[in-house]
Amino acid sequence: MWAAARSHHTGGVNILMADSSVRFITDSVDKENVWHPLATAKNSEVFEMP
């Protein structure tokens, strides 16, 4: 099952990170290389936000 974050914000969604920071992710984010690795630890993905 895949459950995506949803928001009523125009242009994206606010997400809560593991370090308790909140980030706004735009709708134009690269889903394959950025969004999906943020949502899973599958395959040991590592991702760092700028």
Side-chain angles (χ1 to χ4, degrees):
M1 178 181 165
W2 180 261
R6 291 171 173 69
S7 173
H8 292 289
H9 292 89
T10 302
V13 63
N14 286 315
I15 61 166
L16 177 65
M17 305 294 282
D19 67 357
S20 72
S21 65
V22 176
R23 306 289 176 103
F24 185 77
I25 304 296
T26 66
D27 288 338
S28 63
V29 69
D30 179 347
K31 289 177 179 61
E32 192 67 32
N33 296 310
V34 177
W35 186 245
H36 292 169
L38 279 173
T40 180
K42 181 180 172 186
N43 298 323
S44 303
E45 291 117 337
V46 176
F47 178 77
E48 293 183 30
M49 288 193 72

